[in-house]
Amino acid sequence: MYSVKMRAHQDGVHISGAETICEAQTIPAVLQTFFDKGFQHENGAVDFLNLKIEKIADPLYPLEALPIIENTPHTLEALCEMHGITKEALDKGMGYIFDDTQYRGAVIVSAQTGKRLDRSGTKGVRVTHFCFEDHAHTPLVSTRIQDALTIATCITAFAQVKGELCVSDDLYYTTGYFASAQCGYHRIHHLKPVGTRDGGRVIFVDETLQIDDYIAFLQQQPKQVIRHER
Ligand code: WAQ
Ligand code: MG
């Protein structure tokens, strides 16, 4: 198997990215799809595009995709409360999403206090080396949702993770989600105003989490998220 990745920039600013893990014969088709995605992006014109292919030696770690809750009856505040994420932690998490830093990855914070626990600075912790396999009859409506579901499933795979909040940094995409292993992937609309590059991911965890093991899992372990019919 091979890991295939794309990232596209304009003036050194991240515009778009994509990745998967596939067999050798599928690489050309994947490259075409990723090239098109990177070159035609609403965030702006691209002046740098990187395509990377790496052989994967380790077997894929299988994960069952979280169920998608389309019309959640709960507010974000209620979802946090149900998951033992304090108001203080949510407010601090929101602060990272709406600050002036464009993180490429996620910020890990204490679900109790909101204190930042990872040491990745302005980069954030990036979930990488993943792929998605769909066995459901009704396909997902977009690759954006597929990617978000895949990343959320990886992020919530450890028991000490209470939940993840995601807001897209894309200019015109204002739908985000709250995800947990316990309650699934809740889509939430209008999480930000239209026309800003604000966005990010915050992982709310119990402080007993072995953070180095968790980060190694997110970054290095090849992961395969599988979606079954429900
Ligand atoms: N690992 C960790 N964090 C990431 C990753 C990754 N692989 N990719 C992006 N991020 C962080 C980074 O801080 C971005 O600024 C932020 O997440 C948002 O990324 O309708 O499009 O790719 O159900 O803009 C969710 C809702 C859309 C989908 C998410 O995120 C739906 C989205 P974006
Ligand atoms: Mg984006």
Side-chain angles (χ1 to χ4, degrees):
M1 303 289 275
Y2 293 82
S3 158
V4 185
K5 296 184 190 171
M6 177 279 287
R7 64 193 165 93
H9 293 184
Q10 180 192 58
D11 295 329
V13 176
H14 177 78
I15 295 283
S16 130
E19 76 166 281
T20 190
I21 298 170
C22 67
E23 301 285 1
Q25 71 264 25
T26 321
I27 294 173
V30 169
L31 290 175
Q32 183 70 57
T33 311
F34 284 4
F35 174 82
D36 292 344
K37 179 183 177 192
F39 238 76
Q40 305 154 4
H41 204 278
E42 66 182 29
N43 287 341
V46 162
D47 59 22
F48 172 90
L49 188 140
N50 180 290
L51 290 163
K52 180 160 144 189
I53 303 168
E54 268 176 306
K55 191 164 173 72
I56 295 266
D58 297 338
L60 304 183
Y61 186 96
L63 292 165
E64 174 82 30
L66 296 175
I68 297 180
I69 294 90
E70 280 293 339
N71 296 301
T72 181
H74 308 295
T75 62
L76 175 59
E77 290 72 19
L79 283 165
C80 284
E81 203 182 314
M82 286 156 58
H83 289 81
I85 299 164
T86 65
K87 175 84 171 52
E88 188 187 2
L90 173 59
D91 289 346
K92 288 199 178 146
M94 279 292 198
Y96 286 110
I97 290 177
F98 290 97
D99 69 9
D100 291 332
T101 308
Q102 278 204 22
Y103 302 90
R104 290 202 61 234
V107 166
I108 303 176
V109 305
S110 158
Q112 287 88 37
T113 65
K115 182 175 159 250
R116 183 143 179 209
L117 300 176
D118 68 285
R119 298 199 190 97
S120 64
T122 54
K123 280 179 64 192
V125 176
R126 217 174 146 75
V127 183
T128 180
H129 296 117
F130 56 76
C131 61
F132 176 81
E133 203 175 285
D134 207 344
H135 295 297
H137 298 302
T138 41
L140 294 169
V141 300
S142 70
T143 55
R144 181 197 299 274
I145 294 177
Q146 174 181 309
D147 286 347
L149 179 65
T150 305
I151 292 170
T153 301
C154 296
I155 284 179
T156 56
F158 272 46
Q160 294 82 5
V161 174
K162 302 208 167 187
E164 181 215 350
L165 172 63
C166 169
V167 179
S168 175
D169 61 13
D170 291 18
L171 281 174
Y172 304 110
Y173 203 82
T174 60
T175 302
Y177 65 80
F178 178 91
S180 74
Q182 189 192 332
C183 293
Y185 175 104
H186 292 248
R187 300 186 72 211
I188 304 175
H189 303 292
H190 313 298
L191 269 174
K192 73 170 198 181
V194 174
T196 78
R197 286 295 311 270
D198 285 336
R201 279 181 158 89
V202 179
I203 308 173
F204 298 95
V205 304
D206 194 276
E207 287 181 29
T208 59
L209 175 73
Q210 298 290 314
I211 198 156
D212 294 341
D213 294 349
Y214 179 55
I215 291 174
F217 172 79
L218 295 180
Q219 294 183 332
Q220 276 112 45
Q221 170 70 52
K223 297 164 286 291
Q224 179 180 46
V225 173
I226 305 160
R227 178 169 170 255
H228 292 108
E229 194 63 47
R230 289 185 180 261

